[in-house]
C-alpha cells in the first residue's frame, strides 16, 4: 500500500467510490446480458446447466427444487451466435474505409450587398472581404489535402482493420464495441502516429447519472500493466507502487520455485501487475464529488472543468500528480498534468468511439443485438440438449431371451456370423417366444415442429434469414419478387453498416484533431515529403483546433468499409466493356484522346485483380504533316522571309 501526505487523498477516495457505483450500475444494465451473449459465442458448451433455485444469470428462471428441472445427460450449446458474427461481420467491416476531407463551403458575398452604400467607401471593403474569403478557402483546401492524405495512410500502417473488426464483433455480441484514439510512437524511429485501437468494452465505465454518452460528466478506463511500466509512464521512482494482480508469468515462477514463493504470495509480495483507472472528466478534478470538503472545492475548481486523473486502489494520490508534485510544483505544472492528453472535449467528444447498433431510450448503455432473441436461444439449446439425451437413450438395443436357452444359442445370437442357423427345441416354443427385441416408443415428431417455430422466431429477431445464408425455401415467380425480398433482407444489415460508417467517421474526426495536437512535420516527412512537411507545421500545427474541427468536413466514402462482391463487380465490368468500349474506342481513334478508354480499362482490370499497366493505351505520336502544317499557321499562314530565301535556293547548292 502506497501511503503519503497527499492533499488529494479525499479526491482519490471519492473517485474510487464513484467508479465502484458506476461498475455495479453497468453490470445491472449491460454487463450480465453481455456476459451471457459472450458465453453463447465462446463459453463452455454446458454453461447453461449449472442451475440454482431462482434466477441464474445465464440460464432460466424457475421455481421449486433443482430436481424439478434436471440437468440433461447430453449438455450442449447450439452456436447460433457464431453464425451471426461470421455472416454479419464481413458485411459490416471488411476493409479500411476511404476517408474524405473537404473544406466547408464559404458563402460568396452577394455583389449587391453593398449597393445601397457609397461605392467609394464600401467598394474597397467589399474587395477586401472577398480577398479574405479567397485566402480562407485556399488555406482550408490545403489543410484538407494534407489531412486526407495522412488519415488514409495511418489505417494501413497501424492495422485499423483488425482493431475495428474486433470492435464490430464485440458490438454484435455484447452491444457495444470501442476504439480508443491516441498517439503511437514507433519503437524504431521514435516518430509519432495517430491511430485508433481496440479495447474491450468490459474496461469502460460511463457516468451512470446521465442518459446518453454525450451528456456524461466523466468516463473511466480500466488499465492493467506491469508495475514497472506504470512507474515509468508516470515518472515515479522504482519501488513506489505495489502490484495488486499476478501475471501468468509470475504464477509460473511461483509454481516452479515452490514453498518460498508460496510464502511470499501469502504476504502479497508476488503481484507484478497493477490495476488502475484513467478518468476523463468534464466536471472538474473532483471537488464537486461527495466526500470532498468544501474547503477543497474552490482550489480544485481553479483547475478547470476538463481534467484527467489516474487513480488506483490503496494509493491515496493520483498517479499523474504524486505528492512531490503536489508539494513542490507550481499551479502551471499541476494543471498541465491534469490536462487530457488530447483535448477531445473541444469538439464535445471523448477519447473513445463507440460502435453501437441498438441504443435504448434514456439509457447510457445499449442493448445487445442478441438480447431480443435470448429467450428463444436458451430454449433452443435446452431442447437440443434433451433431444440429444433422448436419442442417446432411445438408440440403445435390448434383446430379451429365455434363460433356458443353451449357451451355444446365446453365443451365436450375440457373436455369430452374418449368416447362422439356429436350431430351437420344440420345448422352448416359437421363435417370438424365445427371443425378442425391446423397442422404445416412437419419438414424438411434434417437438421438431415446435423447435422449428422457435428457431424461426430467433432468426427473425437477429436477422439470420434464409437469404443471408444464400438459401431460398421456394423458387421466385418473377424477378421483381426476388428483388423485393433481397431489398427487405438488406434493410437490417444496411442500417447496421451505416452505423459502423458513422462511427468510423467519428474516428477520422478524432484522429484529425489528435494529429493537430501531437503530429509535427518531422513525423510526416516520410509520408508526404519535405515540402508538405513544412506546410504541415505552418498550416496544421499552428492552426486553431476549431479550424480543424469546424472548417473541414470529414466523411467516409459510401460502402467503402464493406466486403466487395468480386463476382458482381466482374460481371458489371464485363457488361461495361461490351457496351462502352466500342463507342469510347471510336471516339479515341477520332480525337486522339484515350483517357476515357484507359479509365475503363483500369476499372475492368481492378475488378479482376489484373495489372492494368499491361493494357493501357498510349496516344499515337503526332503526324509529321501535322507538324509542318502547324508551323505556317503559327506565323499567320505565310512562311517567314528566311524560309522563303531557303526555298528559292537551288538544290545541291
Amino acid at each position: 500500500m502506497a501511503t503519503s501526505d497527499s492533499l488529494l487523498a479525499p479526491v482519490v477516495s471519492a473517485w474510487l467510490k464513484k467508479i465502484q457505483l458506476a461498475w455495479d450500475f453497468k453490470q445491472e444494465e449491460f454487463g450480465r446480458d453481455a456476459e451471457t451473449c459472450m458465453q453463447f459465442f465462446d463459453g463452455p458448451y454446458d454453461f447453461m446447466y449449472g442451475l440454482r433455485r431462482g434466477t441464474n444469470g445465464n440460464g432460466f428462471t424457475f421455481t421449486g427444487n433443482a430436481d424439478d428441472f434436471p440437468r440433461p445427460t447430453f449438455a450442449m450449446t447450439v452456436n447460433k451466435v457464431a453464425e451471426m458474427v461470421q455472416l454479419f461481420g464481413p458485411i459490416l467491416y471488411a476493409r479500411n474505409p476511404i476517408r474524405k476531407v473537404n473544406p466547408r463551403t464559404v458563402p460568396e458575398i452577394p455583389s449587391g450587398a453593398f449597393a445601397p452604400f457609397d461605392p467609394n467607401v464600401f467598394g474597397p471593403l467589399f474587395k477586401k472581404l472577398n480577398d479574405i474569403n479567397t485566402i480562407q478557402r485556399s488555406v482550408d483546401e490545403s489543410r484538407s489535402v494534407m489531412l486526407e492524405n495522412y488519415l488514409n495512410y495511418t489505417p494501413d500502417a497501424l492495422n485499423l482493420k483488425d482493431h475495428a473488426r474486433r470492435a464490430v464483433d464485440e458490438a454484435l455480441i455484447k452491444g457495444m464495441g470501442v476504439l480508443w484514439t491516441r498517439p503511437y510512437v514507433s519503437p524504431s524511429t521514435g516518430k509519432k502516429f495517430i491511430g485508433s485501437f481496440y479495447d474491450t468494452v468490459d474496461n469502460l465505465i460511463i457516468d451512470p447519472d446521465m442518459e446518453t454518452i454525450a451528456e456524461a460528466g466523466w468516463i473511466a478506463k480500466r488499465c492493467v500493466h506491469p508495475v514497472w511500466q506504470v512507474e515509468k509512464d508516470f515518472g515515479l521512482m522504482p519501488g513506489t507502487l505495489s502490484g495488486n494482480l499476478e501475471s501468468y508469468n509470475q504464477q509460473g515462477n511461483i509454481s516452479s520455485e515452490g514453498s518460498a514463493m508460496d510464502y511470499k504470495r501469502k504476504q502479497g509480495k508476488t503481484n507484478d501487475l497493477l490495476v488502475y483507472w484513467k478518468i476523463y472528466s468534464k466536471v472538474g478534478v473532483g471537488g464537486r464529488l461527495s466526500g470532498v470538503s468544501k474547503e477543497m472545492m474552490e482550489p480544485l475548481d481553479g483547475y478547470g472543468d476538463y481534467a484527467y486523473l489516474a487513480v488506483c486502489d490503496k494509493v491515496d494520490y493520483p498517479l499523474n500528480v504524486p505528492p512531490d508534485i503536489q508539494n513542490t510544483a507550481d499551479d502551471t505544472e499541476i494543471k498541465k498534468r491534469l490536462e487530457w492528453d488530447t483535448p477531445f472535449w473541444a469538439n464535445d467528444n471523448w477519447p473513445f468511439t463507440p460502435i453501437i447498433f441498438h441504443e435504448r431510450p434514456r439509457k447510457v448503455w445499449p442493448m445487445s443485438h442478441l438480447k431480443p432473441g435470448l429467450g428463444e436461444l436458451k430454449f433452443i439449446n435446452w431442447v437440443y440438449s434433451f433431444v440429444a439425451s433422448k436419442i442417446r437413450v432411445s438408440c440403445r438395443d435390448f434383446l430379451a431371451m429365455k434363460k433356458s436357452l443353451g449357451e451355444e444359442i446365446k453365443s451365436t445370437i450375440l457373436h455369430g456370423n452374418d449368416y447362422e442357423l439356429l436350431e430351437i427345441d420344440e420345448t422352448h416354443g416359437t421363435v417370438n417366444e424365445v427371443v425378442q427385441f425391446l423397442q422404445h416408443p416412437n419419438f414424438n415428431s411434434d417437438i421438431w415442429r415446435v423447435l422449428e417455430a422457435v428457431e424461426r422466431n430467433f432468426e427473425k429477431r437477429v436477422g439470420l434469414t434464409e437469404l443471408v445464408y444464400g438459401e431460398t425455401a421456394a423458387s421466385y415467380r418473377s424477378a421483381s419478387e426476388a428483388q423485393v425480398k433481397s431489398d427487405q433482407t438488406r434493410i437490417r444489415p444496411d442500417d447496421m453498416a451505416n452505423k459502423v460508417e458513422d462511427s468510423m467517421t467519428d474516428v477520422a474526426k478524432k484522429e484529425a484533431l489528435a494529429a493537430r495536437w501531437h503530429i509535427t512535420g518531422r513525423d510526416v516527412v516520410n509520408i508526404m515529403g519535405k515540402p508538405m512537411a513544412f506546410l504541415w507545421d505552418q498550416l496544421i500545427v499552428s492552426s486553431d483546433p476549431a479550424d480543424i474541427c469546424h472548417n473541414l468536413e470529414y466523411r467516409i466514402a459510401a460502402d467503402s468499409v464493406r466486403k466487395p462482391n468480386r463476382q458482381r463487380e466482374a460481371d458489371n465490368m464485363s457488361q461495361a466493356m461490351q457496351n462502352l468500349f466500342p463507342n469510347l474506342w471510336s471516339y479515341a481513334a477520332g480525337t486522339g484522346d484515350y483517357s476515357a478508354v484507359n479509365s475503363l480499362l483500369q476499372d475492368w482490370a481492378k475488378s479482376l485483380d489484373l495489372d492494368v499497366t499491361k493494357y493501357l493505351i498510349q496516344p499515337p505520336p503526332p503526324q509529321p504533316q501535322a507538324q509542318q502544317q502547324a508551323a505556317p499557321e503559327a506565323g499567320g499562314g505565310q512562311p517567314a522571309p528566311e524560309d522563303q530565301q531557303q526555298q528559292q535556293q537551288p538544290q545541291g547548292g
Side-chain angles (χ1 to χ4, degrees):
M1 177 177 180
T3 59
S4 62
D5 297 329
S6 172
L7 301 175
L8 297 178
V11 174
V12 172
S13 177
W15 274 118
L16 290 174
K17 292 178 181 178
K18 192 78 171 176
I19 289 172
Q20 185 60 52
L21 291 173
W23 179 271
D24 296 339
F25 176 81
K26 175 189 175 183
Q27 289 300 106
E28 185 69 26
E29 291 286 316
F30 176 83
R32 293 179 182 175
D33 287 337
E35 181 183 359
T36 300
C37 294
M38 191 65 192
Q39 286 183 309
F40 273 114
F41 174 70
D42 189 32
Y45 65 92
D46 58 347
F47 79 94
M48 280 181 47
Y49 305 103
L51 301 178
R52 299 289 184 271
R53 179 180 176 85
T55 300
N56 184 298
N58 301 325
F60 302 89
T61 300
F62 65 99
T63 58
N65 297 322
D67 294 338
D68 297 334
F69 198 91
R71 175 189 173 99
T73 305
F74 192 93
M76 63 178 290
T77 296
V78 182
N79 207 328
K80 290 281 186 179
V81 181
E83 294 179 24
M84 180 194 70
V85 173
Q86 292 163 9
L87 289 172
F88 279 94
I91 297 174
L92 301 178
Y93 199 101
R95 51 187 176 180
N96 287 326
I98 300 171
R99 295 166 166 182
K100 298 291 185 181
V101 184
N102 297 315
R104 293 191 183 276
T105 303
V106 180
E108 295 284 350
I109 300 176
S111 58
F114 295 97
F117 307 103
D118 184 355
N120 295 324
V121 176
F122 290 96
L125 176 60
F126 176 76
K127 182 179 183 304
K128 184 177 181 180
L129 292 176
N130 267 333
D131 291 343
I132 292 174
N133 267 355
T134 302
I135 294 173
Q136 183 63 52
R137 282 195 296 269
S138 299
V139 171
D140 289 344
E141 185 174 354
S142 300
R143 286 172 177 160
S144 68
V145 169
M146 287 187 287
L147 284 173
E148 182 175 312
N149 184 280
Y150 183 78
L151 294 178
N152 282 305
Y153 170 82
T154 54
D156 289 331
L158 300 180
N159 200 18
L160 175 63
K161 179 180 176 181
D162 288 347
H163 287 277
R165 182 58 190 272
R166 293 175 197 138
V168 168
D169 287 351
E170 191 168 38
L172 280 170
I173 299 168
K174 297 181 179 180
M176 181 192 290
V178 178
L179 290 171
W180 292 82
T181 301
R182 60 175 175 81
Y184 166 82
V185 180
S186 171
S188 59
T189 63
K191 294 184 178 180
K192 286 185 179 180
F193 299 90
I194 299 298
S196 296
F197 306 93
Y198 163 80
D199 186 56
T200 176
V201 70
D202 297 342
N203 289 334
L204 175 65
I205 295 295
I206 302 173
D207 179 7
D209 294 327
M210 297 295 108
E211 296 177 352
T212 65
I213 296 176
E215 296 173 342
W218 60 274
I219 61 105
K221 179 184 180 183
R222 181 178 181 268
C223 302
V224 182
H225 293 115
V227 174
W228 65 266
Q229 182 179 336
V230 178
E231 293 172 340
K232 179 181 177 182
D233 291 344
F234 291 101
L236 302 175
M237 293 292 294
T240 302
L241 301 175
S242 298
N244 49 23
L245 191 68
E246 277 184 0
S247 66
Y248 286 111
N249 181 57
Q250 184 74 334
Q251 292 176 24
N253 293 337
I254 293 172
S255 299
S256 63
E257 295 187 20
S259 58
M261 291 298 289
D262 284 339
Y263 176 72
K264 290 184 178 180
R265 170 182 279 174
K266 293 177 181 178
Q267 293 182 315
K269 295 182 179 180
T270 61
N271 294 327
D272 59 336
L273 298 179
L274 186 68
V275 180
Y276 64 100
W277 295 89
K278 291 182 177 180
I279 303 169
Y280 297 88
S281 171
K282 294 182 180 179
V283 292
V285 177
R288 304 181 184 97
L289 298 177
S290 59
V292 180
S293 63
K294 294 182 179 180
E295 291 77 10
M296 294 187 65
M297 185 179 300
E298 184 175 351
L300 293 178
D301 286 345
Y303 294 111
D305 291 334
Y306 305 102
Y308 159 75
L309 294 99
V311 299
C312 177
D313 190 24
K314 297 183 179 179
V315 178
D316 63 355
Y317 56 85
L319 300 179
N320 55 321
V321 190
D324 57 337
I325 298 296
Q326 297 178 32
N327 298 326
T328 60
D330 56 16
D331 282 350
T332 303
E333 173 66 17
I334 295 176
K335 188 174 183 178
K336 183 177 180 181
R337 286 173 170 263
L338 291 172
E339 290 178 348
W340 291 23
D341 292 341
T342 306
F344 293 111
W345 52 263
N347 203 27
D348 199 21
N349 268 317
W350 298 104
F352 73 94
T353 302
I355 299 177
I356 297 173
F357 297 122
H358 308 291
E359 292 186 3
R360 297 189 295 167
R362 303 189 64 183
K363 299 284 188 180
V364 71
W365 291 103
M367 178 179 67
S368 168
H369 186 68
L370 285 169
K371 187 173 182 180
L374 272 182
E376 287 89 348
L377 184 59
K378 293 176 181 179
F379 179 81
I380 291 169
N381 282 272
W382 176 74
V383 169
Y384 269 113
S385 294
F386 277 94
V387 166
S389 299
K390 174 68 175 177
I391 292 174
R392 172 185 174 274
V393 173
S394 62
C395 287
R396 298 172 64 194
D397 292 328
F398 294 92
L399 187 65
M401 62 181 66
K402 288 185 175 182
K403 286 186 176 181
S404 59
L405 287 175
E407 291 298 327
E408 182 180 352
I409 294 179
K410 293 180 182 179
S411 177
T412 302
I413 292 174
L414 295 176
H415 309 294
N417 297 323
D418 292 340
Y419 188 74
E420 289 279 354
L421 176 64
L422 298 177
E423 295 182 355
I424 302 176
D425 194 284
E426 294 179 356
T427 58
H428 293 113
T430 65
V431 174
N432 290 336
E433 293 174 345
V434 172
V435 58
Q436 282 190 357
F437 278 96
L438 301 181
Q439 294 183 345
H440 286 267
N442 292 331
F443 198 85
N444 191 341
S445 60
D446 289 344
I447 186 62
W448 298 116
R449 287 194 288 271
V450 172
L451 183 59
E452 182 181 357
V454 175
E455 283 186 319
R456 188 162 55 249
N457 284 339
F458 171 76
E459 290 165 355
K460 289 179 179 179
R461 304 283 189 271
V462 299
L464 289 176
T465 59
E466 59 184 19
L467 291 178
V468 175
Y469 289 95
E471 301 173 350
T472 54
S475 59
Y476 298 130
R477 292 170 293 182
S478 65
S480 60
E481 179 186 0
Q483 185 63 40
V484 169
K485 288 190 175 181
S486 177
D487 292 342
Q488 293 299 314
T489 303
R490 289 201 303 266
I491 288 177
R492 191 165 358 196
D494 283 351
D495 178 65
M496 297 168 72
N498 288 335
K499 291 181 181 297
V500 173
E501 290 180 356
D502 290 343
S503 296
M504 299 314 297
T505 300
D506 291 340
V507 167
K509 291 179 182 178
K510 291 176 182 177
E511 290 187 9
L513 179 60
R516 147 66 181 89
W517 210 255
H518 297 283
I519 303 302
T520 65
R522 174 185 175 274
D523 299 313
V524 301
V525 65
N526 296 113
I527 302 173
M528 302 182 183
K530 291 183 178 180
M532 295 297 281
F534 171 78
L535 289 177
W536 182 281
D537 286 331
Q538 304 304 314
L539 299 181
I540 302 294
V541 176
S542 60
S543 66
D544 187 336
D547 293 339
I548 303 299
C549 296
H550 304 301
N551 287 13
L552 304 177
E553 293 179 338
Y554 303 86
R555 62 184 178 86
I556 300 299
D559 297 340
S560 64
V561 303
R562 304 193 194 185
K563 183 179 181 180
N565 189 325
R566 289 295 187 189
Q567 186 59 47
R568 184 180 63 188
E569 289 183 356
D571 293 342
N572 291 340
M573 287 310 305
S574 176
Q575 293 182 6
M577 289 289 288
Q578 295 176 11
N579 298 329
L580 297 178
F581 188 82
N583 296 329
L584 294 178
W585 177 258
S586 298
Y587 171 80
T591 63
D593 182 5
Y594 289 84
S595 58
V597 172
N598 286 334
S599 296
L600 181 62
L601 289 174
Q602 287 176 342
D603 293 340
W604 167 78
K606 182 179 179 181
S607 69
L608 298 176
D609 290 330
L610 298 176
D611 182 7
V612 72
T613 57
K614 300 178 181 179
Y615 307 99
L616 294 179
I617 301 173
Q618 298 296 329
Q623 297 296 328
Q625 292 180 352
Q627 294 177 351
Q628 293 175 2
Q629 293 175 0
E633 293 176 359
Q638 298 295 329
E642 56 271 19
D643 294 337
Q644 293 178 353
Q645 294 177 2
Q646 292 177 1
Q647 292 175 4
Q648 293 174 358
Q649 290 179 0
Q651 297 292 330

